[in-house]
Structures are given as C-alpha cells and as structure tokens.
C-alpha cells in the first residue's frame, strides 16, 4: 500500500509544530460522519447454522420470525437474496447487507448452483462499474460483496466436490472465508485433523482464500500467524443466552455441558468476529475494491475494447485507457496510410513513366519514318527531275537537229527550185 | 480511497436493528485511519502571488522547515510553475507535501499570460488522474495524487482593493481549485486599515462572483470554529523564519525599530488561524473537495467534450461499455472511410492520367495519319509527274519514229529524184 515514489521527493525535518499530525483525526471525523457500509455473503447448505451465526456475530436478530432466515424459506431453486439493516454502535453507523443463498447445495443435482451466486456478484460489480463510469457521478452506493463466508459441513472427512467447485469459481471474485459449521459436533482433535485436511485440499486445488495482509508490526504479525494456524475457523452460533458460572453467555445447552459461542477453547467464533468485524473489515473492503473489482473491470473493458480478440498477449496495451488506445491506433493508422499512399504514388509514377516512355518511343519512331519517307520521296523527285531534264535535253537536241535538217531540206529544195528554174531557161 | 460519496444510510427502507451487546464495528473508523496512516498522506498546495510577496517565506513558516527557495527576477518572459515535493513526518503521520510556486506571476503585460499557465497546470494534474482512472489496468490506490488541493492566493497589502489581475485570476480558478486568499506582508498595514481592506476584498469577491473556499460547517464537531474563521477571511499573514528573543523564549518574528511582529501572536496577524484552518482542521476536507467537486467537474466537462453521455437520444441509460463499443465502432468506421477515401482519390487520379495519356496517344495517332496523308498526296503528285514524263517520252519517241520514217521515205524519194536527174 505504499504510494509509488514516482516524483523525486526530499526528506525534510520539521523544526517545530505544524499540525498535520491531526490528519488522522480529520479522517476519523469525516468517516464517522459519512457512515460505513458492508456487504456480507453467506453460502452453505441449509441446516448449517448460517442464520444463527449471523445473529451471533452481530448480536442481533437479523433473522427473526418476522424476517426469516434462508433455511426457513422453502425454495426450489437457488436464489440470492439480500437483507439490509442499519446498525449503530459508539456513534458509528453501519449499513449492513447480508446476502444469503437459500437452496444452495440442497438439490439432488447441484451442478451450477454457484451460477446465481456468480451472477449476483458480477451484477453488483457491473452496477458499480456503470455508476463509476457515468459522466455525472453521484453518490455511489457500494453494494459489492466484500466477504463471503462459506460454510463447510462438519463431516470430518474433507471438502465435498461442491465445496471445491464453488471456491474455485469464486475465489477470484470475492474474499472467501471458509468456516467449519457446527463445530460443536467435533472433538478438538477431530477438528484439528479436519482443518488440516481442508487446508491441504485448498492448497492442492490452488484456491485463494482471503489472506491477512502483512504488517510491519511484529506483535500484529505474531497474532496473525496464530490465526493462520487455526484456519479454517470452526464456529458455533447460538440465539440463546444461558447462564454459566454466574455469567450470561450465548451457548448451546447439552446434557453434558454448554458449548459457549464466545469461548475460544470451544470454538473459533471470537477469532472470526474479531477478524471479520473488529480488525479486518476495512481490509476486506479494500481488497474487494482494489483487487476483485479491478479484475472484473479490466476484463470487462478489455473485452469491449478489443472485441473479444485476445490482445492480452501484449500486456502493455492494457495500461492505457481505451481512449488512449484508440488515439494510438489512429496514429498508427495515419502512418500506415501514409506508407500506403507513398507506395501507391510510387507505383503510379512508375506506370506513368513507362507509358510516357512508350509514347516518346512511338513519337520518335513516327518521326524517323516520316524522315525516311521524306528522304525517299525527295530522292524520287530528284531522279524524276533528272529524267525529265534528260528527256527535255534529248527532245531539245532532236528538235534542234530536226530544225537543222528541215532547214537543210528547205535550203536544198530552194536550191533545187532555183536550179530547176535555171535549167528551164 | 475509492470514489464514495455519502452512504445512503438515510434510506427510509432500511430497518434499524438493535444490538444486544458490543459487536465491535465501532472500530471501523480506526481501521480506516490505521490504513491511511500506513499508506501516508499527500497534500499539494499552490501559491500564487507576485514576485517577492512572501510565498516561500510563508510556506517555510507554515511547515516549520526550510524548503528549497530560488530567487527569481521580475523579468521572466512567462509565468512558470515550479513544483517541489517533500516528505515530512510529524509524530507517526507521514505527509508527502508538494509545494507549487508561480514564478513571474504578474510580471507580464497581458494578464491572460499570467493566469493561463496556472490554469493549465491545474488541468494537467486533473488530466493525469483522469487518464489513470480510465485505464483498463489501473492502480488508483497506488497513484501519486498530484492534483492541487489548496491554492493560497497572495494579495498585495495595498490597503485599497484587489487588483484586476487578482479578480481575473481568481475567477478563472474558483471552479478548479479551493482558493484561500491571504493578505501578504500584513505587517505593513495598520489594524484599522486592515479591517477595511478585508471588508473591501470580500465584497469585491462577492460582487464579482468569485467562489473562494469556505471552511465546512456541516460537521458539528468543527462547525463552530469554522464558522468563526470564515468571518476572518481573508487571513492577513506574516511569515518569518527568523527568530527573535522575546522575554525568555525565541519566537518567530520580524524585528522593526518600533517593535517586534510576532508571527504566532494572534493579535499581530492571522498566521495561527491560517495554520489551524489549513492544516489542523480542514486539510482532509480540502482534499475531499478537490476530489469530489473540482475533479468531478473537470472530468464531466472532459467526458462531455469527448462525446460521452449518460443517456442515448431516447433517454435510455447508456453504460460505459456500450459507449466504448459505440466509439470503437465509430472509430473503426472512420479509419475505414479514410482508407476508402484515399483509394478513391487514387483511382480518380489514375483515371485522369490515363485519359491524359490516351489523349496524347490519339494526338500522336492523328499526327501520324496526317503525315501519312501528306505523303500519299506527295506520292500521288510524284506519280502524276512520272506519268506525265512517261507520256511525253512516249509521244516524243512516236514523233521521232514518225519523223525518221518520213525522212527515210523522203531520202529514198530524193535519191530517186537524183537518180532520175542524173539520167
């Protein structure tokens, strides 16, 4: 319970009176004004004396003819019922809720008879979680089950399968205090053996029953170790007051004597009462709040956040709130999208380059062919020109020749004519 | 301690039971107290005031110790908050005290720059706690609570009224932190002036709607002393770590030529009242108010900002899981939408580019066609010319052949004629 030393702090000595030594008194005063709450669950087959024990523990008639205990209510199925009472002592108010489970273990087939109990505990956790999670939070009544007294029948032979099943299923949801009921049906030796057997089986099945917290106080630790040796506590309860040696005590009258409830040589009732009410009630509440409830809550929220995917492998993720988790996921997604964008951009650029290259090649090819054809045509043109020139030259020459011949012919014919004419004369 | 408001023990449906003897649950407050002593306490106090007004001295005096004090100048560019944590012990009670000092407060031109860093600091501590509270795996009972439990606001002993900076700052802070205004260096004000000053300050606070911390009067055990003290607000304090010999004792005091101001003399100043109220009587209440009022307000606003509600549009209650689930759905859809958008945009670009390139291809093609036509035309012209030349050549050869024929004929005719002549 030491607060984490996250920020570095310096030790300083006071040079005189300050007054914060009064803080505990302030806390005391405020807690009394606020009042206290406690929810105690009692589980066990009928006839084990649960109601009687409650009445003995709280020295009252929680269960009376008016408000009958679970055994007097005939139930066919296991119910979970609660009784709320307000008790006051020494100026301290306690709102006590006793949750009992009539019908538990009484059926022929008791498989699943723990389910209503589990459901009840979970429902209370859920109520608290919802109240705690509201935007507008108001006074939150705390109905979470802070302690479960589990009654073991005094068979003397060890735990029944039902006992083991029940405790295994509930030890991580609630503080379990196993009790041996009707301890006055066993001798101290039988009781001792029975206790050892039970503790062995509890260890064997790795059942985590409620453990007393370690303290620095040596005296206290000695005391706690003594109690640990006597677990599970064997109790006797009684609604009747009997006179023994001039004293009025709660007890059970037998022909051979009186089994006194508050006699620590007769049973462990006093230890139970002292531990449950006088010394460890607050711790039971704290463990419920800091351990059992937090387990429930983190499981519930992790399921919601990860939609059932088992992300518990990456334990680190659970140390963030779901919102911070989503923020991180969003950032990751942005990075992922950037990468995707880059990749797509690259592919795009590459494809465009390819296409452009192809286009350029086509253009070059086209240009080349055009040049080629142009050259070709020009060559043909020149050839034709040459041929034409040759032809023109040839013709011109021939025509010139012809003209000469014609001229000659003409001259000749003229001369002949002339001669002819001369001859005639 | 878990968030637990008042227990509904006032519920009328709950039957009271009488106890036939001593059960022993009256030890519950002791059990609670023992646990908290084991765990240790924590208290965070913020001092706001101008440079040199005596914040550090007052802290040293209040807690009877010598905290690390830094000299600061008036030329800080912006207000800084300096937090230091100390582990103190008195009797069997361990206290982790964090003292936060403002450095450079009031030295800025713009008042907003003075108070904003303070508001931000307070909000940061709330945010830090809220983040822890919202985590899936959290450890609240181990968490070092850094939220500011009390804010001592140091008022300059002008004797006249509050400065506008004071009013503006306190107004900004009154819904975030328990404000306890104190008049600093009270030994510079005369008794009558002080009385008027206090009245003026309180009335200014009221008329400006500033909610300062009231010592609680709902608990009968302390109602009387708290009510009386509420009437002395704001406390006029003097701080000093110097000791002066008074009679046979050494007392904390300030020595002037005209007398000795004793810090712990109630007729000299309200230091004792401050210490009693702040530390001895109401420290726990200050912590509680911070948690149940100021923090809850911050949390509520923050969650509403983030879109959390307690009921859905049909006014049915919504659980946290449902809200988270809905948010997660929304979130995943948004991520998907963004991805789709990006892809869409890309598809668009590709389409456009493809069209561009196709257009370029087409252009090239038409150019090609054009050139082809050009060539065809030129070729045709060339062919025509060739044909013309051929025709000319043919007709020429014909002419020539004909002429030759004629000449041959005439030659033979002329030969005959000549022959005839010669005869």
């Amino acid at each position: 319970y030491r607060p984490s030393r996250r920020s570095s702090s310096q030790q300083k000595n006071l040079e005189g009176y300050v007054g914060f030594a009064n803080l505990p008194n302030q806390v005391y005063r405020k807690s009394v004004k606020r009042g206290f709450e406690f929810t105690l669950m009692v589980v066990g087959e009928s006839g084990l004396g649960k109601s009687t024990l409650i009445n003995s523990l709280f020295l009252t008639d929680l269960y009376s003819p008016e408000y009958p205990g679970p055994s007097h209510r005939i139930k066919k199925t296991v119910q979970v019922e609660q009784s709320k009472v307000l008790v006051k002592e020494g100026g301290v108010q306690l709102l006590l809720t006793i949750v009992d489970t009539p019908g538990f273990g009484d059926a022929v087939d008791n498989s699943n008879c723990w389910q209503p109990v589990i459901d009840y505990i979970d429902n209370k956790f859920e109520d608290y979680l919802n109240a705690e999670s509201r935007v507008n939070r108001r006074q939150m009544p705390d109905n979470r089950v802070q302690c479960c007294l589990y009654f073991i029948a005094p068979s003397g032979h060890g735990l029944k399968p039902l006992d083991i099943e029940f405790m295994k299923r509930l030890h991580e949801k609630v503080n379990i205090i196993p009790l041996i009921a009707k301890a006055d049906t066993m001798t101290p030796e039988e009781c001792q053996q029975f206790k050892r057997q039970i503790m062995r089986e509890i260890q064997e099945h790795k059942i985590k029953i409620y453990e007393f917290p370690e303290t620095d106080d040596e005296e206290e630790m000695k005391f706690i170790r003594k109690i640990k040796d006597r677990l599970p506590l064997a109790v006797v309860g009684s609604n009747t007051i009997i006179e023994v040696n001039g004293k009025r005590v709660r007890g059970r009258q037998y022909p051979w004597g009186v089994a006194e409830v508050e006699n620590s040589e007769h049973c462990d009732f006093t230890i139970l009462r002292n531990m449950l009410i006088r010394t460890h009630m607050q711790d039971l509440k704290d463990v419920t709040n800091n351990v059992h409830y937090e387990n429930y809550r983190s499981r519930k929220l992790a399921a919601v956040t990860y939609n059932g995917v088992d992300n518990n492998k990456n334990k680190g993720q659970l140390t963030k709130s779901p919102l911070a988790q989503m923020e991180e996921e969003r950032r990751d997604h942005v990075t992922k999208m950037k990468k995707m964008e880059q990749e797509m951009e690259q592919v795009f650029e590459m494809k465009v380059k390819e296409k452009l290259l192809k286009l350029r090649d086509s253009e070059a090819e086209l240009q080349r062919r055009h040049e080629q054809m142009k050259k070709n045509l020009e060559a043909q043109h020149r050839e034709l020109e040459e041929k034409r020139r040759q032809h023109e030259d040839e013709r011109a020459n021939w025509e010139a020749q012809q003209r000469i011949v014609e001229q000659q012919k003409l001259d000749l014919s003229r001369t002949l004519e002339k001669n002819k004419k001369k001859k005639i004369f | 301690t878990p968030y637990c408001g008042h227990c509904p023990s006032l519920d009328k449906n709950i039957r009271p039971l009488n106890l036939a003897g001593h059960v022993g649950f009256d030890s519950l407050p002791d059990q609670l107290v023992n646990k908290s002593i084991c765990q240790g306490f924590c208290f965070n106090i913020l001092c706001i005031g101008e440079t040199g007004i005596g914040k550090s001295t007052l802290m040293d005096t209040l807690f009877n110790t010598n905290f690390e004090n830094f000299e600061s100048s008036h030329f800080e560019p912006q207000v800084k908050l300096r937090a230091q944590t100390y582990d103190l012990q008195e009797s069997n009670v361990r206290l982790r005290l964090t003292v936060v000092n403002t450095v450079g407060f009031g030295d800025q031109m713009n008042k907003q720059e003075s108070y904003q860093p303070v508001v931000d600091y307070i909000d940061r501590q709330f945010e830090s706690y809220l983040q822890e509270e919202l985590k899936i795996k959290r450890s609240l009972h181990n968490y070092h609570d850094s939220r500011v439990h009390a804010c001592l606001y140091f008022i300059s002993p002008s004797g006249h009224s509050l400065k506008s900076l004071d009013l503006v700052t306190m107004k900004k802070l009154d819904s975030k932190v328990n404000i306890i205004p104190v008049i600093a260096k009270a030994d510079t004000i005369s008794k009558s002036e002080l009385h008027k000053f206090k009245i003026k300050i309180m009335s200014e606070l009221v008329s400006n709607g500033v909610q300062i911390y009231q010592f609680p009067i709902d608990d009968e055990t302390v109602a009387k002393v708290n009510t009386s003290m509420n009437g002395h607000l704001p406390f006029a304090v003097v701080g000093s770590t110097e000791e002066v010999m008074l009679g046979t004792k050494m007392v904390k005091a300030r020595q002037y030529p005209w007398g000795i101001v004793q810090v712990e003399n109630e007729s000299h100043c309200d230091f004792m009242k401050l210490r009693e109220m702040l530390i001895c009587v109401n420290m726990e209440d200050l912590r509680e108010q911070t948690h149940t009022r100021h923090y809850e307000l911050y949390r509520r606003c923050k969650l509403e900002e983030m879109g959390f509600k307690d009921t859905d549009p049909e006014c049915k209650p919504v659980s946290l899981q449902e809200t988270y689930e809905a948010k997660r759905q929304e979130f995943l859809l948004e991520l998907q939408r963004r991805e789709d958008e990006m892809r869409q945009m890309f598809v668009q670009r590709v389409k456009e580019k493809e069209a561009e390139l196709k257009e370029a291809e087409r252009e090239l093609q038409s150019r090609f066609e054009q050139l082809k036509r050009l060539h065809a035309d030129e070729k045709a012209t060339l062919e025509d010319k060739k044909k013309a030349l051929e025709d000319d050549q043919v007709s020429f050869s014909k002419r020539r052949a004909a002429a030759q024929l004629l000449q041959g004929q005439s030659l033979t005719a002329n030969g005959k004629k000549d022959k005839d002549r010669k005869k």
Side-chain angles (χ1 to χ4, degrees), chain A residues 10 26 136-137 319 366, chain B residues 23 87 135 280 296 300 368:
Chain A
Q10 295 175 49
Q26 299 179 31
N136 282 299
R137 298 199 290 201
T319 57
L366 181 66
Chain B
V23 176
D87 282 330
K135 279 187 190 171
C280 304
E296 280 306 303
R300 185 163 64 238
F368 183 61

Side-chain angles (χ1 to χ4, degrees), chain A residues 2-60:
Chain A
R2 291 287 151 80
S4 57
R5 295 189 172 244
R6 244 187 11 194
S7 45
S8 57
S9 55
Q10 295 175 49
Q11 195 87 28
K12 284 277 178 193
N13 289 325
L14 301 183
E15 288 158 27
Y17 173 76
V18 176
F20 62 78
N22 209 32
L23 261 173
N25 292 337
Q26 299 179 31
V27 172
Y28 188 100
R29 170 171 46 92
K30 278 190 173 283
S31 72
V32 169
K33 182 154 190 359
R34 232 184 352 248
F36 294 84
E37 285 178 316
F38 194 73
T39 303
L40 178 67
M41 178 182 263
V42 197
V43 181
E45 299 166 15
S46 34
L48 286 181
K50 302 189 295 293
S51 314
T52 315
L53 186 76
I54 296 293
N55 282 347
S56 307
L57 269 175
F58 291 96
L59 296 176
T60 184

Side-chain angles (χ1 to χ4, degrees), chain B residues 324-384:
Chain B
Y324 272 152
E325 244 165 50
K327 277 206 170 292
R328 193 161 177 79
Q329 274 304 100
E330 216 180 277
F331 172 70
L332 291 174
L333 282 175
E334 190 199 334
L335 292 188
Q336 190 59 39
R337 189 181 51 81
R338 285 217 190 139
E339 251 187 67
D340 290 345
E341 228 175 64
M342 193 182 82
R343 276 186 221 273
Q344 203 48 22
M345 192 193 69
F346 245 98
V347 165
Q348 189 62 20
R349 268 181 76 189
V350 166
K351 256 206 189 118
E352 284 175 7
K353 201 68 184 200
E354 264 183 12
E356 240 179 73
L357 290 175
K358 256 212 169 68
E359 187 59 36
E361 254 184 64
R362 252 196 303 265
E363 234 175 90
L364 194 68
Q365 196 63 16
S366 78
R367 240 191 341 149
F368 183 61
E369 294 297 316
Q370 203 183 37
L371 283 177
K372 245 168 87 171
R373 271 196 300 274
L374 222 75
H375 280 141
D377 286 349
E378 280 195 24
K379 202 154 186 192
T381 316
L382 192 70
E383 288 303 310
D384 287 347

